[in-house]
Amino acid sequence: CTACHNPHGSDFEAMAKDRLDKVCYRCHSDSEMSFLKTNTHKPVLEGNCSSCHFAHGGGEKKLLRAGGAALCSNCHGDLMKVAVGTSSHDPFKEGECLTCHDAHGSNESGMLVGKQDKICYECHSELGKDVKASKSTHSPVTSGQCTKCHSPHASKIGKLLLAKSPDLCQVCHKNLQQRMQKERVHTPAARDCLRCHVPHASGGAPLLSKPLQSLCGE
């Protein structure tokens, strides 16, 4: 017991001899370097291992205080509430937070377990194949920034989009937005960019859904 506890008294939780993470790292020495990344989970950064783990024993694997999303909801409860009429990403809906996120630390933003496109293509493999085979690809897709257009958790808009077209597209295409505000606008362009363009990848430039003459001929 005295490997972790001070037998005489301590101001630290559970009478630990030292800050709790330092106590844990005495045995889990390999974890300190793997946990302290560019983005580190707040409890890890604060040395509060017991916010997620029991120190002595529990009914869950890895001595966790709860299983799955129930553990994450203790801190992220508001984020995990899904409003009525909202569609949810399957891993989010099923409470599989660790499909996308690392529980301790990551060098990727959002504490992701890897690059966004790599994670997304594990489920959306057909899209990954289409992108590799296409001549023209959307810049966010090429750079693996799926969350520039999609919410990774939930959205009230179809396909988990952050906003509807053309508003979503004009977040990046500001020059086009300015032209459309000042000049005469092609009706389909004013209504929906996806009337002519595909959002991910296309066999022809610039991301057209069909060859130009066939598209305009409609």
Side-chain angles (χ1 to χ4, degrees):
C1 299
T2 55
C4 299
H5 298 281
N6 188 323
H8 302 296
S10 170
D11 293 332
F12 296 96
E13 183 176 353
M15 296 175 65
K17 282 179 155 182
D18 202 343
R19 204 175 93 151
L20 191 56
D21 59 339
K22 298 302 180 185
V23 175
C24 299
Y25 290 148
R26 283 173 188 153
C27 292
H28 303 283
S29 56
D30 58 331
S31 298
E32 185 168 11
M33 292 304 297
S34 64
F35 290 173
L36 300 179
K37 300 291 183 69
T38 306
N39 301 282
T40 303
H41 199 193
K42 187 177 179 181
V44 177
L45 198 61
E46 295 177 346
N48 189 13
C49 309
S50 61
S51 65
C52 297
H53 300 276
F54 283 117
H56 300 109
E60 298 290 337
K61 292 180 179 179
K62 300 183 179 180
L63 299 176
L64 290 172
R65 289 184 173 273
L71 180 62
C72 302
S73 64
N74 288 332
C75 295
H76 304 286
D78 289 341
L79 171 67
M80 298 171 76
K81 290 177 183 175
V82 178
V84 176
T86 300
S87 60
S88 299
H89 195 197
D90 281 347
F92 179 71
K93 181 169 60 179
E94 299 299 326
E96 297 173 354
C97 308
L98 299 186
T99 297
C100 300
H101 300 282
D102 191 293
H104 298 106
S106 169
N107 289 327
E108 301 295 333
S109 61
M111 286 183 56
L112 294 176
V113 295
K115 299 286 186 183
Q116 280 189 28
D117 53 351
K118 181 181 177 181
I119 296 172
C120 297
Y121 291 156
E122 286 182 6
C123 294
H124 304 283
S125 55
E126 289 303 316
L127 175 59
K129 292 177 183 177
D130 289 343
V131 169
K132 287 182 179 179
S134 297
K135 295 179 180 178
S136 176
T137 55
H138 197 191
S139 177
V141 176
T142 307
S143 58
Q145 295 178 300
C146 308
T147 55
K148 278 218 167 185
C149 299
H150 299 278
S151 167
H153 297 125
S155 173
K156 290 188 176 182
I157 304 172
K159 301 185 186 300
L160 294 170
L161 290 174
L162 297 175
K164 291 183 178 179
S165 170
D167 293 338
L168 178 62
C169 304
Q170 290 174 354
V171 170
C172 293
H173 299 282
K174 294 188 182 298
N175 290 338
L176 182 59
Q177 180 187 37
Q178 292 170 1
R179 285 184 57 198
M180 291 173 69
Q181 290 172 345
K182 295 177 182 178
E183 302 175 15
R184 186 172 180 177
V185 182
H186 191 202
T187 304
R191 186 172 63 245
D192 184 5
C193 305
L194 299 183
R195 177 65 185 82
C196 298
H197 300 280
V198 292
H200 298 119
S202 168
L207 289 172
L208 292 177
S209 59
K210 294 181 180 180
L212 186 60
Q213 288 183 324
S214 299
L215 187 60
C216 297
E218 292 182 352

